């Protein structure tokens, strides 16, 4: 079996092996009962570690393509229809495929009741009745609103209110004329990538990183360089080293309760990144989706954008996480020619975000409702964080994690002997899901991780789900 590894690819080696074997199964080149090469043989042929091959085979087993007989080998499992009449019409599409193996939305496509995989809020913590009532009032007052496009830049009233909000809550002065409303922070990331990047350009990201941001860059043919974090955020000294050898166009960071680790970037580190951006002339995407969710009344540093004097930082403030995921509202702040470029790209992308959803959150931002809502959110999520840590306390000799000071997530280091995908498969059997750490790395990680989002479930289901997960981990260690 000839497996070809592309070392220049951002897809980890074990995933490349997995994909090529699956293609052979679907193409009828290997069939039910065929044996795959031994771990040692495959490792020697490809000049990689046995651990990487083992991970590929375990992933194939997790997906049901093979079964492993200890001491004997790895064999193709099950009957698969490989007739040309079924597969031939769409075979050509594999040549156009984007990287979806790592996507958190593919990994946990089938929803589980005890869902720890999504960093979104339990619906009853959101102001849904108020917002739905406001939308109905808007339609009753202006039934023609649905018959027109919203402004490309976004509703002017909303931009004015968000400008006030950023000054009050983030210590960030932003002219409403320099705000662009997007359909969530995710669209903002994609919009920036589409505007500023071309295949072969270099982007620096945190490692680990928000997986959907990685996918945006990878699937546009961008050279993505991961830089590790410490307790203060992405390491500025390593960013400097990368800049000396490359010419990055962008640095993507999530400084306020980083997704997935929960790290809060220090003010010193924020200033260091600005200095590097000024010296090497690159943009910084500052993704701020969790900045309001802090615990124990800690004092947050000002956003990186606060220290930006020359338009190096494109700031993204998402409201979906804290206000209403279904409304898909975020604001992008940028100055200089790049704002006009982003505006033009937004016009081509969707001709403007829906107007009714923008109008719906205006009353919330204009009153004390937002302040009261955020205070209640912080209390509710701190209780959930504490309950999660308490539930996992009996596993501290197995699992390792830092207690986050805010945000929605707990980032957990697993024993290297524990495969996160195999653990997820066992968890799924008892209706539990989480996010394997693989989704958050550009390349294959040396260690195994998992992300638990404690924000999605109610108090009771959170405890029950964590008890189930704890039992699975205990049994997995036996």
């Amino acid at each position: 079996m000839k497996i070809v590894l592309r070392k220049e690819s951002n897809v980890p080696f074990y995933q490349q092996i997995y994909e090529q074997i699956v293609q052979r199964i679907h193409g009828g080149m290997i069939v039910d009962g065929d044996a795959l090469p031994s771990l040692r043989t495959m490792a020697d042929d490809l000049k990689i570690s046995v651990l990487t091959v083992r991970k590929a085979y375990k992933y194939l087993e997790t997906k049901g393509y093979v079964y492993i007989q200890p001491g004997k080998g790895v064999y193709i499992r099950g009957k698969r229809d490989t007739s040309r009449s079924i597969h031939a019409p769409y075979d050509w599409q594999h040549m156009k495929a984007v990287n979806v193996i790592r996507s958190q939305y593919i990994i946990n496509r089938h929803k589980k009741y005890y869902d720890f995989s999504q960093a979104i809020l339990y619906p009853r913590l959101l102001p849904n009745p108020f917002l739905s009532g406001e939308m109905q009032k808007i339609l009753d007052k202006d039934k023609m609103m649905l018959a027109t496009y919203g402004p490309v830049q976004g509703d002017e009233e909303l931009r004015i209110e968000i400008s006030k909000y950023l000054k009050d809550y983030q210590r960030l002065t932003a002219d409403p004329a320099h705000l662009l409303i997007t359909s969530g922070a995710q669209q903002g990331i994609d919009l920036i990538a589409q505007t500023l990047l071309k295949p072969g350009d270099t982007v620096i990201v945190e490692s680990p990183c928000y997986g959907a941001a990685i996918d945006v860059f990878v699937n546009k043919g961008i050279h993505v360089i991961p830089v590790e974090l410490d307790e203060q955020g992405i390491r500025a000294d390593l960013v400097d080293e990368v800049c000396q050898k490359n010419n990055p166009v962008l640095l993507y960071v999530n400084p306020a309760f980083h997704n997935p680790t929960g790290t809060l970037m220090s003010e010193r580190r924020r200033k260091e990144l600005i200095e590097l951006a000024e010296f090497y002339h690159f943009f910084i995407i500052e993704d701020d989706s969790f900045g309001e969710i802090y615990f124990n009344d800690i004092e947050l540093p000002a956003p990186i954008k606060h220290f930006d004097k020359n338009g190096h930082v494109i700031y993204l403030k998402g409201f979906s996480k804290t206000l209403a995921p279904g409304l898909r509202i975020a604001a992008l702040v940028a100055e200089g020619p790049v704002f006009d470029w982003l505006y033009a790209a937004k016009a081509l992308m969707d001709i403007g975000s829906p107007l009714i959803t923008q109008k719906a959150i205006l009353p919330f931002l204009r009153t004390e409702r937002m302040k009261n809502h955020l205070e209640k959110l912080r209390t509710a999520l701190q209780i959930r964080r504490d309950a999660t840590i308490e539930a996992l306390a009996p596993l501290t000799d197995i699992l390792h994690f830092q207690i986050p000071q805010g945000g929605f997530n707990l980032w957990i280091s697993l024993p290297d002997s524990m495969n996160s995908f195999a653990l997820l498969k066992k968890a799924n059997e008892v209706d539990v899901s989480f996010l394997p750490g693989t989704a958050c790395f550009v390349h294959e990680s040396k260690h195994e991780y998992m992300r638990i989002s404690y924000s999605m479930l109610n108090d009771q289901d959170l405890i029950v789900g964590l008890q189930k997960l704890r039992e699975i981990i205990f049994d997995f260690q036996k």
Side-chain angles (χ1 to χ4, degrees):
M1 180 183 296
K2 181 64 173 177
I3 299 290
V4 178
L5 297 181
R6 295 177 293 116
K7 295 184 178 180
E8 73 281 1
S9 172
N10 289 320
V11 180
F13 285 163
Y14 84 91
Q15 290 182 5
Q16 293 187 41
I17 296 169
Y18 165 85
E19 291 170 2
Q20 292 180 51
I21 291 175
V22 169
Q23 288 173 1
R24 284 169 168 78
I25 293 172
H26 286 307
M29 299 168 64
I30 49 179
V31 298
D32 184 29
D34 282 355
L36 294 180
S38 69
L39 295 174
R40 177 58 61 188
T41 298
M42 179 75 81
D44 289 345
D45 287 347
L46 299 178
K47 295 181 173 55
I48 58 177
S49 74
V50 171
L51 291 176
T52 299
V53 180
R54 179 180 288 116
K55 192 169 185 178
Y57 284 2
K58 288 294 291 184
Y59 193 35
L60 285 163
E61 182 185 38
T62 299
K63 296 298 182 181
Y65 286 105
V66 305
Y67 60 94
I68 299 174
Q69 290 188 333
K72 293 185 178 181
V74 181
Y75 301 90
I76 304 301
R77 177 198 296 277
K79 301 289 185 181
R80 298 181 184 273
D81 189 344
T82 58
S83 64
R84 296 293 293 176
S85 62
I86 293 179
H87 296 290
Y90 308 109
D91 282 351
W92 67 273
Q93 293 182 1
H94 292 290
M95 299 171 62
K96 311 296 183 182
V98 298
N99 176 30
V100 296
I101 297 298
R102 179 186 48 235
S103 170
Q104 66 185 79
Y105 306 106
I106 297 297
I107 293 171
N108 285 294
R109 176 185 294 175
H110 304 292
K111 301 302 180 186
K112 302 302 176 183
Y113 184 82
Y114 301 101
D115 187 357
F116 299 106
S117 70
Q118 300 185 79
I120 60 178
L121 283 171
Y122 175 57
R124 291 189 181 277
L125 294 176
L126 296 167
N128 297 316
F130 176 84
L131 293 173
S132 62
E134 288 301 314
M135 292 179 75
Q136 187 60 55
K137 289 179 185 178
I138 292 167
L139 288 176
D140 290 343
K141 183 178 180 181
D142 183 4
K143 291 182 171 58
M144 296 303 293
M145 182 168 290
L146 297 179
T148 183
Y149 290 118
V152 171
Q153 189 173 351
D155 179 63
E156 184 177 14
E157 287 186 300
L158 178 61
R159 289 187 283 110
I160 290 171
E161 289 305 320
I162 289 179
S163 178
K164 295 176 182 176
Y165 174 90
L166 293 176
K167 186 173 184 179
D168 291 342
Y169 288 87
Q170 304 295 331
R171 291 183 285 163
L172 182 60
T173 301
D175 188 330
H178 297 153
L179 265 65
L180 185 66
I181 304 301
T182 64
S183 298
Q186 186 65 34
Q187 188 192 46
I189 297 169
D190 191 64
L191 177 64
I192 295 167
Q194 182 172 309
T195 303
L196 296 181
L197 301 174
K198 61 183 182 299
D201 282 345
T202 296
V203 169
I204 302 172
V205 301
E206 300 153 313
S207 186
C209 180
Y210 170 48
I214 298 175
D215 290 338
V216 166
F217 302 134
V218 168
N219 291 323
K220 292 184 184 299
I222 307 304
H223 180 213
V224 183
I225 300 179
V227 172
E228 68 183 59
L229 307 169
D230 60 20
E231 67 281 357
Q232 295 189 57
I234 190 169
R235 286 182 52 183
D237 59 325
L238 296 183
V239 172
D240 191 9
E241 287 185 19
V242 171
C243 292
Q244 292 176 30
K245 299 176 183 177
N246 298 270
N247 185 27
V249 178
L250 280 177
L251 164 65
Y252 171 82
V253 290
N254 184 201
F257 311 117
H258 171 260
N259 183 6
T261 68
T263 301
L264 177 62
M265 186 183 292
S266 68
E267 180 175 303
R268 176 183 174 185
R269 188 64 49 84
R270 297 173 191 227
K271 292 179 178 178
E272 288 173 344
L273 294 181
I274 283 291
E275 290 175 3
L276 289 171
E278 292 175 346
F279 187 80
Y280 291 107
H281 302 295
F282 59 78
F283 286 98
I284 298 174
I285 302 179
E286 182 177 11
D287 183 353
D288 183 7
S289 295
F290 300 97
E292 294 85 350
I293 307 303
Y294 54 86
F295 307 141
N296 299 320
D297 294 326
I298 64 171
E299 184 175 350
L300 270 65
I304 302 173
K305 183 67 178 171
H306 175 79
F307 307 105
D308 179 29
K309 306 302 180 185
N310 301 304
H312 286 281
V313 179
I314 302 174
Y315 177 82
L316 278 173
K317 165 48 68 180
F319 291 91
S320 296
K321 296 292 186 185
T322 55
L323 196 53
L327 295 186
R328 308 301 300 141
I329 298 291
L332 179 156
V333 182
E335 299 91 10
V338 70
F339 182 86
D340 293 331
W341 306 339
L342 291 165
Y343 181 98
K346 180 71 161 59
L348 292 172
M349 184 176 285
D350 63 8
I351 322 179
S353 300
L355 186 58
I356 187 171
T357 56
Q358 298 179 59
K359 290 293 190 183
I361 70 170
L362 274 172
F364 212 81
L365 294 175
R366 283 173 170 165
T367 66
E368 288 289 299
R369 286 182 178 274
M370 190 65 175
K371 178 181 178 182
N372 296 335
H373 169 65
L374 290 175
E375 289 175 352
K376 291 177 181 178
L377 265 189
R378 287 192 282 268
T379 299
L381 288 170
Q382 183 169 346
I383 290 172
R384 283 166 167 78
R385 180 206 64 176
D386 293 345
T388 301
I389 292 168
E390 183 178 353
L392 297 178
L395 296 173
T396 51
D397 58 332
I398 301 173
L399 309 179
H400 301 282
F401 52 83
Q402 297 294 322
I403 298 176
Q405 296 177 293
F408 293 7
N409 305 307
L410 186 66
W411 181 247
I412 300 172
S413 176
L414 302 171
D416 290 340
S417 60
M418 187 179 293
N419 181 274
S420 58
F421 281 100
L423 183 64
L424 179 63
K425 182 180 179 181
K426 289 292 185 182
N428 285 171
E429 293 174 1
V430 294
D431 221 11
V432 174
S433 63
F434 60 83
L435 185 67
T438 300
C440 303
F441 289 96
V442 177
H443 305 300
E444 183 178 354
S445 173
K446 297 177 182 178
H447 306 290
E448 290 282 347
Y449 299 93
M450 63 189 294
R451 189 195 74 182
I452 290 177
S453 296
Y454 44 78
S455 58
M456 179 67 174
L457 299 174
N458 64 41
D459 293 342
Q460 182 177 351
D461 288 340
L462 178 76
I463 298 302
V464 174
L466 288 169
Q467 289 172 345
K468 288 176 175 287
L469 181 60
R470 188 175 63 201
E471 292 170 4
I472 290 293
I473 295 173
F474 266 133
D475 291 342
F476 210 80
Q477 281 292 103
K478 294 178 182 178

